[in-house]
Amino acid sequence: MEAKKVILSEKEIPRQWYNIQADMPTPMQPPLHPATGKPVGPDDLAPIFPMNLIEQEVSTERWIDIPGEVLEKLLIWRPTPLHRAYNLEKFLKTPARIYYKNESVSPAGSHKPNTAIAQAYYNKVAGIKRLTTETGAGQWGCALSLACCLFGLELKVYMVKISYEQKPYRQLMMKTWGANCVASPSRETDVGRNVLSQDPDCPGSLGIAISEAIEDAVTSGHTKYSLGSVLNHVMLHQSIIGLEAQKQMEMLGEYPDVVIGCVGGGSNFAGLSFPFVRDKIYGKDVEIVAVEPVACPTMTKGPFAYDFGDTAAKTPLLPMFTLGHSFIPKSIHAGGLRYHGMSPLISQLVLDNLIQPRAYNQLQTYGAGITFARTESLICAPETNHAIAAVIEEAEKAREEGRSKVILFNLSGHGLLDLTGYDAYLKGELSDYSLSEEEMKESLKVLDSLPQPMLK
Amino acid sequence: MEAKKVILSEKEIPRQWYNIQADMPTPMQPPLHPATGKPVGPDDLAPIFPMNLIEQEVSTERWIDIPGEVLEKLLIWRPTPLHRAYNLEKFLKTPARIYYKNESVSPAGSHKPNTAIAQAYYNKVAGIKRLTTETGAGQWGCALSLACCLFGLELKVYMVKISYEQKPYRQLMMKTWGANCVASPSRETDVGRNVLSQDPDCPGSLGIAISEAIEDAVTSGHTKYSLGSVLNHVMLHQSIIGLEAQKQMEMLGEYPDVVIGCVGGGSNFAGLSFPFVRDKIYGKDVEIVAVEPVACPTMTKGPFAYDFGDTAAKTPLLPMFTLGHSFIPKSIHAGGLRYHGMSPLISQLVLDNLIQPRAYNQLQTYGAGITFARTESLICAPETNHAIAAVIEEAEKAREEGRSKVILFNLSGHGLLDLTGYDAYLKGELSDYSLSEEEMKESLKVLDSLPQPMLK
């Protein structure tokens, strides 16, 4: 019987994170202060993040030690298995060999706890007693709830109201782990009260929730704010995925021809791919594919520009692909991919042609998800289905070319709490959405008033 | 860093199931035909089960080979990890060492696919094209949907209507794997139409759903019926859990002082414990604890008697602990433990003092589940929380006695689709239920009219 999966022993868990800033051919552009247009320094970030995480954010050290207490918590579910998708290969009649890294086995059901655990730890050692965050669909809120529970920190989660009501299971998970989760806009911040006074029935948005969480963090004692994607230190913490996958592929005597992940803010994709991007920088022949939704085509359609990380324009300006910070994508089921911007690290690597972005339509991704569930058993998150759509296309191309290609992708999360999307798909009630040139022009107007030194 | 978990390689997966019928000190009483009171033969079961499974049902061979095609599917997620619950130990300040076998890692989220895969396989090789089954809360329906999908069988699931409506995610999982799931009572069987003509708003019951599934199986071509617990061949297929756990404990140089599982029909408990019961039969000093709800105290309060396996009185009479086949337990959240009877194998082993039954109240089990989630991270099924309540009691006893005891339990499933129970508990809205002497007397009356050779 051929091996279905490769599992590392606990002793083989990586002891250091990989920081791609050490190897990037083009150095990163600094974040800018929106008022002055000048680079932002560590002190500008200190009101919302602890200094140890700010240091990681700007570090160019290649390897950063994973603290023992963080490793101990990661070992609850890590190392995660690397599976070979034999049944999918057979179904597609492809000569390609398809592997996936299974990040859905964490207690929260996704890769998000990899950074949640690290962030909770660094806040704790910095003397912080309480964190705030926002969450859309709820994956990040669940992961940080788990992490805060394990390190004895209080947590307040501002969850977009429409999701709070439509996805009750997610907020119940957070509460089971002891977090305080409220629907946003809430009556507990100035921002929230202000929104509610104008529109008592406001369904909320990620932008409002971020603003509430930041206001809470800067106005409450011993409290900081935590973000689950986009930033450099988040990508750093996720690199454990790719470092494990490299060991596992090596044990099989394999090296991928193509590495695939879905991207919203970019963290699961960066986690798997950055160690392979490093190989590519030093000459290895490997294709790195980042998959986004056609409904939110940040990298495939948007410009590379300075923009705010949040809708409410509270963050520094980040150098990234963006659709404009006030862009609200159509309500596709892959909530985690509905982000107007992109990790600055990933953005720079796309500019340098080290990462190839692609966009897929919602219907194709659900079709891919159903094929995967019915061959490989796992029901994946709608976000993950974007990666699977690209995998299937690559495998079919390999069949047509008669080429025995090695494909590796990140199974970033399970879809057990996202089944309504599958239901709608099976009933034929789902649609595709794309962005017209005019809509995009409109949404990019917000960039005009911001300092844009790179675009000159 | 101490090891958090032990993971077997794929090569170490057991190649044979263990059949406890080979080692039981008291031979099993045969099932009886309700009309004649005579033992039921294989031919009586042939309309609903294929002959290869009937042979397993009555086999007394100690070891039965697991077919290669079954192993291949089990390897999708097996061997499952054995974890050490360090954080729970620390929290309880106990000298006990607590281990758990994590069956929640299957694609369906519980131990149920261990037998679903085997049953689908044996039906397929017997030329069956289609299966029917019933499901209450939905765990079994999901597991069999997955198995039928993997082996290319059609499946019709009759799901108790009230659960179909209250637990929409479970039926969506079944549909994602391609099964046809309908609310029971349905208009698709005589039984269902009959019930609906008398009560169009009937919320359904497990008894009605079983009757619909059996009627469908015996009246449709190439169709058999499949059951997820209670029967001997189900316990056989689940023995892989305990066989793996024995290897894993051995690798740690440990042997349990006490083995704990929750029991509804008995399959997850039997799966973990039977290989250890065998050791006990041959002189090993190990306590085997079966945990049931106070609201459905089959073994702690019921008599050992012949009774129907289903509410609708369609099955042969089984020798088992029972509360009477028309007993409807209060609606506790651990739906999988709301069964009036008990696996005949477990029942006989309880009679022989090899297994100790215990009952716990709902509130205590949710308290235990919350403690576990907040120390060990995993949110368990409400059924599993019954085992955890017993584990915590044993660990606290060990602390009081200053004894370094080894505890092993089965984490039979996760609770990600059962979070409403946690919510009710955290809000203080849950209650305990127990059975009065009078209620029990009433529910046991149905036994009087049945042949009861053993009770003479």
Side-chain angles (χ1 to χ4, degrees), chain B residues 7-27:
Chain B
I7 296 179
L8 299 174
S9 73
E10 294 193 346
K11 284 183 191 146
E12 293 169 296
I13 195 170
R15 304 296 170 124
Q16 297 180 307
W17 289 301
Y18 168 61
N19 181 6
I20 201 162
Q21 292 194 66
D23 291 304
M24 290 174 79
T26 310

Side-chain angles (χ1 to χ4, degrees), chain A residues 135-138 159-171 183-184 203-204 206 335 338:
Chain A
T135 198
M159 183 171 185
V160 176
K161 196 201 271 172
I162 181 93
S163 298
Y164 185 93
E165 285 162 0
Q166 285 178 350
K167 301 210 167 189
Y169 279 46
R170 289 273 181 217
Q171 46 107 341
S184 165
L206 212 49
R338 295 175 68 242

Side-chain angles (χ1 to χ4, degrees), chain B residues 214-294:
Chain B
I214 291 181
E215 179 188 323
D216 181 334
V218 300
T219 58
S220 308
H222 305 292
T223 299
K224 297 287 178 194
Y225 166 76
S226 175
L227 189 68
S229 192
V230 181
L231 298 178
N232 303 344
H233 66 275
V234 179
M235 308 296 136
L236 176 77
H237 301 151
Q238 293 292 358
S239 67
I240 194 166
I241 303 171
L243 295 171
E244 284 181 9
Q246 285 194 321
K247 283 192 197 189
Q248 288 163 312
M249 292 296 278
E250 210 178 296
M251 284 163 72
L252 292 165
E254 292 275 37
Y255 192 91
D257 295 299
V258 50
V259 176
I260 297 172
C262 62
V263 278
S267 77
N268 94 74
F269 170 78
L272 177 66
S273 70
F274 279 6
F276 294 97
V277 173
R278 182 186 182 213
D279 291 350
K280 188 175 169 109
I281 290 170
Y282 294 109
K284 195 90 184 176
D285 185 17
V286 49
E287 201 180 353
I288 316 277
V289 178
V291 184
E292 60 186 16
V294 165

Side-chain angles (χ1 to χ4, degrees), chain B residues 117-353:
Chain B
I117 298 275
Q119 291 191 46
Y121 166 79
Y122 283 112
N123 275 284
K124 188 185 169 129
V125 299
I128 307 306
K129 305 286 184 212
R130 179 172 174 275
L131 291 179
T132 66
T133 199
E134 77 291 333
T135 198
Q139 282 275 20
W140 169 243
C142 287
L144 196 62
S145 299
L146 168 63
C148 286
C149 175
L150 293 176
F151 283 108
L153 296 176
E154 263 187 76
L155 173 64
K156 175 79 157 271
V157 181
Y158 294 88
M159 183 171 186
V160 176
K161 195 200 272 172
I162 181 92
S163 297
Y164 185 94
E165 287 163 358
Q166 286 179 349
K167 301 210 167 188
Y169 278 46
R170 288 273 181 217
Q171 47 106 343
L172 296 182
M173 267 176 96
M174 297 181 220
K175 288 174 179 169
T176 300
W177 281 317
N180 180 357
C181 174
V182 295
S184 165
S186 76
R187 301 220 158 267
E188 308 185 23
T189 64
D190 283 344
V191 171
R193 284 185 292 268
N194 197 22
V195 171
L196 289 172
S197 72
Q198 288 167 35
D199 176 7
D201 298 323
C202 172
S205 75
L206 212 50
I208 296 166
I210 294 178
S211 306
E212 287 205 274
I214 291 181
E215 179 188 323
D216 181 334
V218 300
T219 58
S220 308
H222 305 292
T223 299
K224 297 287 178 194
Y225 166 76
S226 175
L227 189 68
S229 192
V230 181
L231 298 178
N232 303 344
H233 66 275
V234 179
M235 308 296 136
L236 176 77
H237 301 151
Q238 293 292 358
S239 67
I240 194 166
I241 303 171
L243 295 171
E244 284 181 9
Q246 285 194 321
K247 283 192 197 189
Q248 288 163 312
M249 292 296 278
E250 210 178 296
M251 284 163 72
L252 292 165
E254 292 275 37
Y255 192 91
D257 295 299
V258 50
V259 176
I260 297 172
C262 62
V263 278
S267 77
N268 94 74
F269 170 78
L272 177 66
S273 70
F274 279 6
F276 294 97
V277 173
R278 182 186 182 213
D279 291 350
K280 188 175 169 109
I281 290 170
Y282 294 109
K284 195 90 184 176
D285 185 17
V286 49
E287 201 180 353
I288 316 277
V289 178
V291 184
E292 60 186 16
V294 165
C296 189
T298 316
M299 294 180 294
T300 47
K301 292 278 182 73
F304 181 75
Y306 270 107
D307 197 4
F308 292 104
D310 66 320
T311 316
K314 295 250 176 189
T315 70
L317 295 171
L318 301 173
M320 60 184 180
F321 285 93
T322 179
L323 296 166
H325 61 268
S326 55
F327 176 68
I328 307 279
K330 288 288 189 307
S331 160
I332 57 169
H333 281 270
L337 308 186
R338 294 175 67 242
Y339 181 61
H340 71 275
M342 181 51 57
S343 145
L345 287 171
I346 293 175
S347 297
Q348 184 61 52
L349 294 165
V350 168
L351 274 189
D352 289 346
N353 276 319

Side-chain angles (χ1 to χ4, degrees), chain B residues 52-85:
Chain B
N52 48 15
L53 282 176
I54 295 171
E55 281 161 17
Q56 283 192 347
E57 183 66 17
V58 299
S59 170
T60 54
E61 288 291 312
R62 181 170 291 112
W63 299 103
I64 293 179
D65 286 345
I66 306 178
E69 278 187 72
V70 172
L71 270 181
E72 207 173 87
K73 304 300 182 199
L74 294 177
L75 283 172
I76 293 170
W77 74 96
R78 301 205 74 86
T80 61
L82 180 91
H83 299 249
R84 169 106 181 247

Side-chain angles (χ1 to χ4, degrees), chain A residues 150-425:
Chain A
L150 292 177
F151 283 109
L153 295 177
E154 263 187 76
L155 174 65
K156 175 79 157 272
V157 181
Y158 293 87
M159 183 171 185
V160 176
K161 196 201 271 172
I162 181 93
S163 298
Y164 185 93
E165 285 162 0
Q166 285 178 350
K167 301 210 167 189
Y169 279 46
R170 289 273 181 217
Q171 46 107 341
L172 296 182
M173 269 176 95
M174 296 181 221
K175 288 175 180 170
T176 300
W177 281 317
N180 180 358
C181 175
V182 295
S184 165
S186 76
R187 301 218 159 268
E188 309 185 22
T189 63
D190 283 344
V191 171
R193 283 184 293 267
N194 196 21
V195 171
L196 289 172
S197 72
Q198 288 167 33
D199 176 7
D201 297 324
C202 172
S205 75
L206 212 49
I208 297 167
I210 294 178
S211 307
E212 287 205 274
I214 292 181
E215 178 188 324
D216 181 334
V218 299
T219 58
S220 309
H222 305 292
T223 300
K224 296 287 178 194
Y225 166 75
S226 175
L227 190 68
S229 194
V230 181
L231 299 179
N232 303 346
H233 66 275
V234 178
M235 308 297 136
L236 175 78
H237 302 152
Q238 294 292 356
S239 68
I240 194 166
I241 303 172
L243 295 171
E244 284 181 9
Q246 285 195 321
K247 285 193 196 189
Q248 287 163 313
M249 292 296 277
E250 210 178 295
M251 285 163 72
L252 292 165
E254 293 274 37
Y255 192 90
D257 295 298
V258 51
V259 176
I260 297 172
C262 62
V263 277
S267 77
N268 94 76
F269 170 78
L272 177 66
S273 71
F274 279 6
F276 295 97
V277 173
R278 181 187 184 213
D279 292 350
K280 190 175 169 109
I281 291 170
Y282 294 108
K284 194 91 185 175
D285 184 17
V286 49
E287 200 179 354
I288 315 276
V289 178
V291 184
E292 60 186 17
V294 165
C296 188
T298 316
M299 293 180 295
T300 48
K301 293 276 182 74
F304 180 76
Y306 270 106
D307 196 6
F308 291 104
D310 66 322
T311 314
K314 295 251 177 190
T315 70
L317 294 172
L318 301 173
M320 60 184 180
F321 284 94
T322 179
L323 296 166
H325 61 269
S326 54
F327 176 67
I328 307 280
K330 288 288 191 307
S331 162
I332 57 168
H333 281 270
L337 307 186
R338 295 175 68 242
Y339 181 61
H340 71 275
M342 181 51 56
S343 144
L345 287 171
I346 293 176
S347 297
Q348 184 60 53
L349 293 164
V350 167
L351 274 190
D352 288 347
N353 275 319
L354 289 160
I355 292 172
Q356 272 67 50
R358 278 190 214 164
Y360 288 86
N361 269 310
Q362 174 157 268
L363 288 177
Q364 186 177 352
T365 65
Y366 270 99
I370 290 280
T371 296
F372 193 79
R374 293 186 181 174
T375 53
E376 291 295 318
S377 303
L378 291 166
I379 299 176
C380 294
E383 291 83 0
T384 307
N385 290 344
H386 286 70
I388 297 173
V391 167
I392 290 177
E393 231 173 59
E394 287 290 329
E396 286 172 341
K397 207 168 69 183
R399 183 184 63 212
E400 282 151 30
E401 294 170 357
R403 233 190 105 200
S404 136
K405 184 186 270 184
V406 177
I407 302 170
L408 169 65
F409 78 97
N410 199 7
L411 197 159
S412 54
H414 66 63
L416 299 187
L417 303 185
D418 309 285
L419 286 162
T420 47
Y422 282 90
D423 190 40
Y425 174 79

